[in-house]
Amino acid sequence: MAKLILLCLKFIILSSAVEAVFEDQVGKFDWRQEYVGKVRFSHFDTHVQSSKKVLLATENNVFAALNTRTGELFWRHVDKTGPEGNIDALLQHGQDVVLVVGNGRLLRSWEINVGGLNWEIVLDSGSFQSACLVGQQDNVKHVAVLKKTVISFHYLSNGHQKWIENLPESETVDYQSVYSDGNGEVYALGIVPHSHIAIVAYSVEDGEIIKQMSVEAAWLSNIQASCVVISQGMLTCVDPLTVSLYMLDLHTESQMTQIPLQSLGLEVAPGFHPVLVSTQPNPGRQPLSEFFLQLGPDYYQLLQLNNGQIVTLRDFKPAMLVSFATTGEKTVAAVMSPKNKTASSLNLFSAETGRRLLDTTLIFNMDPYGGKPEKLHVQAFLKKDDSVGYRVMVQTEDHTLTFIQQPGRVMWTREEALSDVVTMEMVDLPLTGTQAELEGEFGKKADGLMSMVLKRLSSQLILLQAWIAHLWKLFYDARKPRSQVKNEVTIENLSRDEFNLQKMMVMVTSSLKRSCTVHPLSFFPVKLFGIDSKTGSILWRHYLDNIPSNAAFKLMVQRTTAHFPHPPQCTLLIKDKDTGLATLHVFNPIFGKKSHVSPPALPQPILQSLMLPLMDQDYAKVLLLVDDQYKVSAFPSTKNVLQQLQEMASSIFFYLVDSTQGRLSGYRLRTDLSTELIWEVVIPAEVQKIVSVKGKRPNEHVHSQGRVMGDRSVLYKYLNPNLLAVVTESTDLHQERSFVGILLIDGVTGRIIHEAVQRKARGPVHVVHSENWVVYEYWSTKSRRNEFSVIELYEGMELYNSTVFSSLDRPHAPQVLQQSYIFPSYISTLEATLTEKGITSRHLLIGLPSGGILSLPKMFLDPRRPEIVSEQSREENLIPYAPELLIRTEWFINYNQTVSRVRGIYTAPSGLESTCLVVAYGLDIYQTRVYPSKQFDVLKDDYDYMLISSVLFALFFATMISKRLAEVKLLNRAWR
Amino acid sequence: MHLTALLWVCMQAALVVAWCFTDMETGPGAGVSTQPNGDRFKIEGRAIVPGIKTQDWVSTARILVEGEEYVGFVRTDGSFAVNDVPSGSYVVEVVTPNYRFEPVRVDITSKGKMRARLVNYIKTSEVIRQPYPLQIRASGPHTYFMKRETWGWTDFLMNPMVMMMVLPLLIIVLLPKVVNTNDPEMRKEMEQSMNMLNPNPELPDVSELMTKLFSGSKGSSKAGGSSKGTRPAVKRR
């Protein structure tokens, strides 16, 4: 009992020693940006006049409401990833939104003011085809869901099923669309490709089939792609082969009437599949009789069905995008047409007549580094004078949303691509002009004593001038009210701060992971961002197109900003996973501009890339690329570099991983830039598969070589920089037989340093490898819990060779210590903090599914934690072993700023040893600083200047007064 | 009457559920195996934040089952249901950024029988029943922040170091003022009291006294004996 109390006490003491966020620090060093992803459906909330909501359903399975004034989120609901959370349809009625989720598995109704769920029901299995709201005389009460074999009808108020009917002949007929126009009938439209259209009309009341007909249509293959319903239930289809429109009245059984487009004087651009666009503003009423026909990539025609006749209203050429919007009783068509190279103009046209509405021009300036506009989301509203005004949300190919008001004022932009960050780096900001001037002084060749003195004087003068200007600015700003002082960050005024706390975050975004749900022909936008780490403002963006659909990315910093006047240089390696072919994109990370350096063409598939610490004469680090012939090419490949490589070749080793065959192989570089195999480890692929291989971070420093034990002896760490941690998972997933294995392999010699197997465990395994330890996390199938395990390697009490570590000359195997712990939560990602010199104690940063980022001291994951407390372990400050690790909310570095679906945590050292910069990315991006050992090298931000100065003054006056008193006393004594 | 009937039904239901689970107690692995027939069940419950209107927190709340394996949302009245969950044993959590909820383990048999129990990661087979459908009550707001060390005069004054410094100072400065040392009667009294405090007229060397004291205490366990032992030593000098 006493021991338990002691343990508790110890815990309390330790946990109070660990840092946490103070309430007044909220938002001071950290920021969060919330994203939703690429918009699939959008709906402006129109049920209340002057509503500020726009509802978005996205390809990231997120349903959210945005504030149209600011672009911020009102609320957001993040469903599970993958096809089970996929949002198939969004239907809005009043203050309710109905979503069909997971290929028609769930039907959900949301209350949009609160953002809460009204109801959720499970639908019968079957793949989802279409859904629509069904109303009668402006009174919408039901929703119809069409699946492959059934049609079901639900109440909007509670989701209860009113009726469900099997679709007739569903084995042969492919039902694709459902339509209703408020006359008490629901039509299911199906097709037998290249044969006929099947139309089934159900009664809204009881689901009885009112009529059923099949119409010959041998030319038609897909209803959703080529047909719309207009006017009084006229099914209108377009056939690219015969270049004609076909029309069919759903109410009367009849034949399709063919209207050749030539008879309307229209022509289709060669090779283009025409598209029809119609609108049904109110589900309880008929659709409009006006519709768009797209005849070419930039050619639209507004048509009208008038007394059974198609009339051309207006042609739009060139027009990039069109969209209908309705407000009140008025429906307008918004048309975007190119104006010049960088801008396009939007205009409103009356849908009924095709007349252009006055004063509705809006200019949209396109970002030269962005994508082309892809979709228009128009919010129309009635002005006071009953004319139609509008705002528009333009969606571009790079997933950017831009909300524009007339006459072209951008109200907000959202870079939704940032919800899909794949990799990132942090780059130091450049020095300011004056700092660079000083630096330049040292770089140049000496040219005489006098001129050097003069140069020094002049640069000092410049510094003085800059300082005075800075002081003046401070003084000037202090007089102004705080709200007016703006510190706009632009690329021009970017410069490194004293402690290098502000950096440039280079982020690579790509939505490739969901390639299964995206149309295979659509291409995959890759966008690079440069973000100021202090404020989170996006300083540059660069859109790359022509990226293969299945690419992997690796971002490398080849030259930092330290080598003025050479510009910093980043290289993005883009590798097609299928073919292995790679391309390089070389750019300046501060400005985002493509570099003048032309990257080499890589005709061969690339197996591995590695950055060497070697530099060419321009201080660019050398990137080695290994192709499938095991030949090595270098970038940059100047003579200087090749010469250095030849000299160094015998000490350059690399490894390749083939996870399909379970082969790990080590290679050595030869002087002729070919390679030789020196070791190979085969892990039988039929038993276990390699899931990850982790080396140490190259920029990691270890300060202390060993640990001082309780008896004052030193336990030396085994600091092998070439050590690889290989994690394997069993292919057998049965809970009794599955296991997780970890191998520690020396990457140079292939020597297996340690092997551990965790039985009755399975992945996903998260692993961190640093200093002399490896921490990994797995799921224990036996006890159904997550467990952490830590392996630490020690050389022992003596160091074999304390000056240099060589993998080839280390005769003694290290001592291995291991300990495991229970972790009471799932984890999403794992990373360790990193500081400049490695003096600060380490913390593990754990991304939790709840959105919290836990900063867990490494101290808790220490295999030397004793089960029985002894004097020595107390001396060493070891915490007694406790099986369960605690999650304390005080350790959440992001307090209530949760990061949804956190996928990665990036840590970077700052110029201060105590401070580590942290960026967590997932659906959201969160940036903050952590101080694993508290801020020992700077004054705390709550440092009480008042107290220290008042004490100083008090002491000063006290001495003055006491001195005076003493004098008086002496005098008095002398008089006595 | 109606209420009692309901209660009776509840009791019976609880009994039935308890009986169904007797075969489950064998081990923690019993409920895990995924069913080949792929029956899917629904986990239901209600989340309550005492004193807060539901519309103020439901939009930020999510129900996570086994991490993000299954996700549910909270209805506007605070109730929730997670659909499409196969049989097995799951940890159900209500996640909000602002309120703390305790997780609950829910076991679903292959027949769809449910029970809820406290999560215990160390003794995984321990069963402490929780109500099902789940009633998860927030245990208060999350405490994310540390309290700043505030500085006050009382803290400063109550500091033991300061006390140790200030009190003797006060005694040294104030005592001579309070007690009139010039009064002969008083002086006599003081001398007497000093004699009582320190029986030997000349004070011994402090270090010497200390060594004596320690060596003396080693020899005899009694404190009185040691003090007696010191006296002759002092006198000998």
Side-chain angles (χ1 to χ4, degrees):
Chain A
M1 191 63 213
K3 203 192 280 175
L4 200 84
I5 292 168
L6 194 86
L7 202 144
C8 288
L9 267 174
K10 203 94 195 211
F11 252 107
I12 291 161
I13 291 161
L14 277 165
S15 47
S16 60
V18 168
E19 53 90 33
V21 187
F22 294 108
E23 192 152 9
D24 53 77
Q25 285 179 331
V26 164
K28 210 167 167 186
F29 308 118
D30 63 319
W31 49 263
R32 175 179 68 163
Q33 291 170 356
E34 292 179 295
Y35 294 97
V36 293
K38 185 193 177 184
V39 174
R40 182 179 288 165
F41 304 107
S42 81
H43 209 294
F44 286 96
D45 177 25
T46 48
H47 90 278
V48 196
Q49 199 69 32
S50 79
S51 167
K52 293 186 291 187
K53 281 195 188 71
V54 57
L55 301 155
L56 305 174
T58 71
E59 305 210 330
N60 293 35
N61 305 350
V62 175
F63 175 52
L66 288 190
N67 185 338
T68 53
R69 304 284 146 86
T70 60
E72 281 157 15
L73 289 172
F74 277 118
W75 45 260
R76 177 180 71 172
H77 289 288
V78 182
D79 208 341
K80 61 191 284 194
T81 49
E84 283 170 68
N86 193 35
I87 298 172
D88 302 317
L90 181 150
L91 305 165
Q92 193 200 357
H93 176 252
Q95 56 179 359
D96 295 338
V97 167
V98 177
L99 295 185
V100 183
V101 178
N103 197 12
R105 184 66 184 158
L106 296 170
L107 195 63
R108 279 197 190 122
S109 168
W110 294 96
E111 209 283 330
I112 60 171
N113 290 328
V114 174
L117 190 67
N118 284 325
W119 46 262
E120 174 183 296
I121 57 154
V122 182
L123 299 176
D124 284 354
S125 57
S127 95
F128 172 77
Q129 296 295 324
S130 173
C132 77
L133 293 172
V134 181
Q136 270 178 303
Q137 286 93 41
D138 291 355
N139 205 351
V140 183
K141 278 188 177 160
H142 303 102
V143 56
V145 180
L146 182 81
K147 292 203 171 188
K148 207 107 205 159
T149 54
V150 290
I151 179 166
S152 59
F153 210 70
H154 302 266
Y155 291 100
L156 268 184
S157 54
N158 52 16
H160 290 173
Q161 188 175 291
K162 191 173 184 185
W163 51 262
I164 182 162
E165 292 296 327
N166 282 318
L167 292 164
E169 298 162 44
S170 57
E171 307 87 52
T172 51
V173 182
D174 181 12
Y175 288 94
Q176 289 180 334
S177 179
V178 61
Y179 162 77
S180 148
D181 58 9
N183 60 356
E185 290 169 19
V186 182
Y187 294 88
L189 309 176
I191 183 173
V192 178
H194 309 294
S195 169
H196 62 268
I197 301 177
I199 297 156
V200 189
Y202 290 93
S203 158
V204 167
E205 289 309 315
D206 49 6
E208 201 186 324
I209 294 180
I210 293 173
K211 74 188 159 222
Q212 195 177 349
M213 59 183 174
S214 93
V215 181
E216 202 69 19
W219 45 271
L220 189 63
S221 60
N222 190 333
I223 294 185
Q224 271 172 335
S226 28
C227 298
V228 291
V229 181
I230 55 164
S231 189
Q232 297 150 331
M234 294 295 278
L235 181 70
T236 311
C237 300
V238 61
D239 176 26
L241 279 179
T242 55
V243 200
S244 45
L245 288 174
Y246 287 88
M247 305 196 81
L248 170 70
D249 193 340
L250 294 174
H251 302 290
T252 61
E253 207 164 325
S254 62
Q255 286 292 309
M256 285 202 127
T257 47
Q258 183 181 9
I259 306 159
L261 286 179
Q262 250 177 346
S263 70
L264 300 168
L266 302 175
E267 224 172 291
V268 176
F272 186 79
H273 191 293
V275 181
L276 290 165
V277 183
S278 72
T279 178
Q280 184 178 13
N282 187 332
R285 293 199 208 157
Q286 291 161 352
L288 290 193
S289 46
E290 291 80 20
F291 60 101
F292 273 110
L293 173 62
Q294 190 182 5
L295 296 160
D298 59 349
Y299 178 23
Y300 286 86
Q301 181 76 37
L302 183 63
L303 302 172
Q304 186 185 38
L305 182 71
N306 200 345
N307 296 326
Q309 292 294 312
I310 296 276
V311 186
T312 58
L313 288 180
R314 191 180 180 121
D315 68 329
F316 300 98
K317 191 176 183 179
M320 298 144 81
L321 294 167
V322 296
S323 174
F324 282 111
T326 304
T327 173
E329 295 295 309
K330 288 185 182 169
T331 299
V332 288
V335 178
M336 181 186 245
S337 42
K339 195 170 174 225
N340 54 40
K341 262 188 183 164
T342 60
S344 49
S345 65
L346 272 150
N347 281 295
L348 279 196
F349 297 86
S350 158
E352 282 161 39
T353 57
R355 247 177 341 100
R356 198 174 82 86
L357 300 177
L358 288 175
D359 300 328
T360 56
T361 309
L362 189 153
I363 306 295
F364 171 64
N365 288 309
M366 282 183 284
D367 182 0
Y369 300 106
K372 288 201 274 300
E374 197 176 43
K375 221 171 183 182
L376 291 180
H377 308 272
V378 181
Q379 181 192 26
F381 53 87
L382 284 178
K383 289 184 190 163
K384 281 192 185 113
D385 58 350
D386 220 30
S387 64
V388 180
Y390 74 121
R391 301 183 192 99
V392 65
M393 187 166 75
V394 183
Q395 185 181 350
T396 48
E397 287 169 341
D398 51 350
H399 306 178
T400 309
L401 294 178
T402 313
F403 197 72
I404 317 169
Q405 200 180 25
Q406 271 178 291
R409 193 167 75 84
V410 175
M411 292 178 76
W412 46 265
T413 33
R414 288 180 69 89
E415 293 285 355
E416 291 301 339
L418 283 171
S419 66
D420 288 301
V421 175
V422 276
T423 177
M424 68 167 289
E425 281 290 337
M426 269 185 160
V427 183
D428 293 351
L429 290 175
L431 301 163
T432 54
T434 47
Q435 287 167 322
E437 182 83 13
L438 265 184
E439 291 283 319
E441 189 187 331
F442 300 108
K444 280 168 201 149
K445 296 268 185 303
D447 39 18
L449 187 71
M450 204 54 207
S451 64
M452 287 285 274
V453 170
L454 279 178
K455 204 179 274 173
R456 163 52 62 92
L457 281 178
S458 72
S459 55
Q460 295 285 16
L461 261 180
I462 290 168
L463 275 186
L464 185 72
Q465 198 182 346
W467 186 65
I468 290 170
H470 175 72
L471 279 188
W472 171 247
K473 191 171 179 296
L474 272 186
F475 174 70
Y476 195 73
D477 282 350
R479 293 191 315 174
K480 278 198 272 185
R482 184 152 297 183
S483 57
Q484 281 183 15
V485 182
K486 267 192 203 160
N487 286 322
E488 280 284 306
V489 183
T490 56
I491 284 183
E492 285 71 36
N493 64 21
L494 267 188
S495 66
R496 200 179 299 178
D497 58 337
E498 289 166 280
F499 300 123
N500 203 4
L501 290 163
Q502 187 179 6
K503 294 198 182 196
M504 176 68 87
M505 293 158 53
V506 180
M507 297 190 125
V508 182
T509 67
S510 163
S511 52
L512 303 184
K513 282 163 276 85
R514 283 184 313 282
S515 51
C516 50
T517 59
V518 180
H519 195 262
L521 286 177
S522 64
F523 55 96
F524 298 89
V526 171
K527 205 171 178 184
L528 308 180
F529 290 91
I531 300 175
D532 172 31
S533 76
K534 195 175 178 186
T535 58
S537 50
I538 296 166
L539 298 176
W540 58 263
R541 57 207 100 194
H542 193 94
Y543 175 58
L544 301 174
D545 40 11
N546 303 323
I547 300 298
S549 60
N550 185 14
F553 301 90
K554 190 172 176 185
L555 183 64
M556 290 156 286
V557 184
Q558 281 204 291
R559 195 192 293 128
T560 61
T561 41
H563 306 288
F564 187 80
H566 299 290
Q569 183 178 321
C570 267
T571 303
L572 178 67
L573 178 73
I574 305 156
K575 180 178 150 184
D576 189 330
K577 275 186 196 155
D578 297 331
T579 60
L581 289 173
T583 50
L584 292 174
H585 175 71
V586 186
F587 62 98
N588 180 332
I590 303 299
F591 301 104
K593 298 227 167 61
K594 205 171 169 179
S595 170
H596 305 299
V597 183
S598 55
L602 304 166
Q604 295 286 339
I606 297 296
L607 294 179
Q608 174 73 293
S609 67
L610 55 158
M611 287 286 282
L612 296 183
L614 294 181
M615 284 186 190
D616 72 348
Q617 69 273 29
D618 292 338
Y619 307 101
K621 281 188 189 160
V622 177
L623 174 68
L624 283 193
L625 298 159
V626 186
D627 63 21
D628 63 343
Q629 305 296 314
Y630 303 102
K631 285 267 180 196
V632 173
S633 53
F635 169 68
S637 59
T638 55
K639 218 175 209 173
N640 177 310
V641 169
L642 294 176
Q643 198 184 340
Q644 283 190 62
L645 272 180
Q646 271 177 5
E647 284 164 19
M648 295 279 291
S650 60
S651 62
I652 294 173
F653 297 83
F654 61 91
Y655 66 93
L656 297 176
V657 185
D658 185 348
S659 58
T660 52
Q661 292 176 17
R663 186 182 298 142
L664 268 162
S665 33
Y667 292 83
R668 185 163 75 177
L669 198 66
R670 288 206 194 119
T671 44
D672 60 344
L673 293 190
S674 65
T675 57
E676 63 177 325
L677 181 74
I678 48 174
W679 58 268
E680 196 169 47
V681 173
V682 179
I683 291 156
E686 54 274 12
V687 182
Q688 48 185 333
K689 58 178 190 290
I690 300 172
V691 281
S692 77
V693 178
K694 278 261 170 98
K696 289 178 191 173
R697 289 178 63 162
N699 56 346
E700 175 184 283
H701 292 274
V702 182
H703 183 256
S704 59
Q705 290 272 312
R707 284 176 65 163
V708 180
M709 316 264 285
D711 59 357
R712 296 286 176 269
S713 61
V714 177
L715 187 61
Y716 286 99
K717 294 174 183 172
Y718 178 77
L719 297 168
N720 184 348
N722 310 317
L723 198 66
L724 302 174
V726 181
V727 180
T728 61
E729 280 177 35
S730 62
T731 47
D732 187 354
L733 289 175
H734 188 273
Q735 53 158 332
E736 290 293 321
R737 293 187 295 270
S738 66
F739 64 88
V740 166
I742 189 150
L743 276 174
L744 301 180
I745 296 183
D746 188 305
V748 171
T749 58
R751 182 181 174 192
I752 295 175
I753 307 288
H754 182 64
E755 192 173 5
V757 168
Q758 226 78 40
R759 304 220 170 270
K760 291 180 186 170
R762 63 172 161 81
V765 181
H766 300 273
V767 101
V768 172
H769 182 190
S770 177
E771 291 190 21
N772 64 328
W773 47 265
V774 180
V775 170
Y776 58 102
E777 186 265 0
Y778 53 87
W779 168 255
S780 161
T781 53
K782 188 185 166 215
S783 312
R784 283 177 309 198
R785 62 193 180 201
N786 287 283
E787 292 180 3
F788 265 99
S789 196
V790 56
I791 296 176
E792 286 195 2
L793 303 169
Y794 290 97
E795 294 243 331
M797 295 301 170
E798 278 171 36
L799 210 54
Y800 177 70
N801 179 352
S802 58
T803 47
V804 193
F805 188 97
S806 166
S807 290
L808 301 167
D809 179 30
R810 261 304 118 150
H812 310 298
Q815 298 174 8
V816 182
L817 303 174
Q818 184 161 16
Q819 212 169 53
S820 297
Y821 313 88
I822 301 165
F823 190 68
S825 170
Y826 278 82
I827 77 167
S828 304
T829 184
L830 187 64
E831 188 53 81
T833 58
L834 189 68
T835 52
E836 177 105 74
K837 297 272 182 277
I839 300 167
T840 308
S841 59
R842 310 290 295 270
H843 277 204
L844 290 174
L845 300 172
I846 304 166
L848 304 175
S850 65
I853 292 160
L854 181 75
S855 176
L856 184 72
K858 169 70 179 57
M859 197 161 52
F860 284 96
L861 293 161
D862 183 345
R864 304 191 62 250
R865 278 175 72 175
E867 278 182 50
I868 300 150
V869 187
S870 67
E871 195 61 44
Q872 285 202 1
S873 69
R874 204 170 298 147
E875 187 96 331
E876 258 188 89
N877 264 335
L878 292 176
I879 313 159
Y881 181 76
E884 193 168 349
L885 296 170
L886 291 177
I887 296 182
R888 293 165 50 102
T889 43
E890 287 94 334
W891 294 348
F892 283 4
I893 58 170
N894 57 341
Y895 46 102
N896 66 357
Q897 307 284 298
T898 53
V899 185
S900 287
R901 281 192 203 147
V902 54
R903 248 193 335 267
I905 296 175
Y906 180 88
T907 51
S910 73
L912 282 175
E913 172 55 31
S914 66
T915 310
C916 169
L917 304 176
V918 176
V919 182
Y921 54 88
L923 193 59
D924 304 334
I925 296 173
Y926 181 78
Q927 190 278 142
T928 190
R929 301 171 189 173
V930 291
Y931 319 100
S933 304
K934 292 197 170 180
Q935 284 176 284
F936 57 81
D937 49 5
V938 267
L939 286 181
K940 274 187 252 165
D941 51 350
D942 65 338
Y943 186 77
D944 207 335
Y945 293 96
M946 275 306 286
L947 176 70
I948 192 99
S949 47
S950 60
V951 165
L952 274 176
F953 275 113
L955 284 174
F956 178 71
F957 284 117
T959 43
M960 296 283 280
I961 290 162
S962 56
K963 191 180 168 194
R964 174 85 191 128
L965 285 176
E967 274 172 5
V968 168
K969 202 168 184 182
L970 273 176
L971 194 67
N972 285 345
R973 195 177 290 170
W975 274 107
R976 204 176 281 168
Chain B
M1 182 57 222
H2 186 74
L3 202 86
T4 48
L6 202 85
L7 208 78
W8 167 238
V9 169
C10 283
M11 282 264 283
Q12 215 165 22
L15 269 172
V16 168
V17 171
W19 177 77
C20 287
F21 277 106
T22 44
D23 60 335
M24 278 273 306
E25 314 289 322
T26 47
V32 165
S33 58
T34 44
Q35 295 306 305
N37 58 0
D39 273 347
R40 297 294 185 112
F41 306 103
K42 185 153 101 174
I43 299 173
E44 285 179 292
R46 178 182 291 271
I48 303 145
V49 182
I52 308 285
K53 280 191 228 150
T54 47
Q55 58 255 43
D56 294 340
W57 62 271
V58 285
S59 66
T60 55
R62 287 212 294 169
I63 313 295
L64 299 185
V65 180
E66 292 296 88
E68 276 182 308
E69 192 71 32
Y70 306 97
V71 177
F73 299 99
V74 183
R75 293 198 197 101
T76 41
D77 61 350
S79 62
F80 61 83
V82 184
N83 286 301
D84 269 355
V85 183
S87 62
S89 174
Y90 305 97
V91 175
V92 179
E93 288 174 279
V94 182
V95 173
T96 65
N98 295 325
Y99 301 101
R100 187 173 62 232
F101 291 89
E102 293 299 322
V104 178
R105 187 175 280 280
V106 173
D107 300 321
I108 310 173
T109 62
S110 55
K111 292 192 185 74
K113 294 278 191 313
M114 307 270 207
R115 72 163 174 194
R117 55 184 169 119
L118 276 185
V119 177
N120 188 339
Y121 285 110
I122 298 174
K123 289 184 201 158
T124 46
S125 54
E126 188 190 50
V127 180
I128 298 171
R129 275 305 186 79
Q130 295 287 97
Y132 187 89
L134 303 170
Q135 293 282 327
I136 306 179
R137 192 173 279 272
S139 51
H142 278 304
T143 47
Y144 290 115
F145 302 113
M146 296 258 289
K147 267 253 167 81
R148 278 262 188 229
E149 290 168 27
T150 50
W151 194 86
W153 284 103
T154 48
D155 299 341
F156 181 73
L157 288 178
M158 298 317 271
N159 191 331
M161 292 297 281
V162 174
M163 298 269 271
M164 265 161 64
M165 269 167 58
V166 168
L167 278 178
L169 207 88
L170 281 178
I171 290 164
I172 290 164
V173 173
L174 291 182
L175 261 182
K177 301 249 159 134
V178 174
V179 186
N180 194 356
T181 42
N182 291 335
D183 186 10
E185 221 171 280
M186 197 71 185
R187 195 174 282 180
K188 210 176 189 179
E189 203 174 292
M190 267 179 73
E191 264 169 24
Q192 259 177 6
S193 62
M194 287 295 262
N195 283 347
M196 249 170 66
L197 269 174
N198 196 358
N200 11 323
E202 39 190 323
L203 269 169
D205 191 18
V206 178
S207 60
E208 206 176 355
L209 184 88
M210 287 305 252
T211 48
K212 296 273 165 54
L213 216 140
F214 279 115
S215 60
S217 68
K218 240 179 221 170
S220 62
S221 56
K222 275 183 195 165
S226 73
S227 67
K228 264 177 195 166
T230 50
R231 204 182 289 175
V234 173
K235 274 194 174 162
R236 224 179 290 148
R237 198 172 58 143

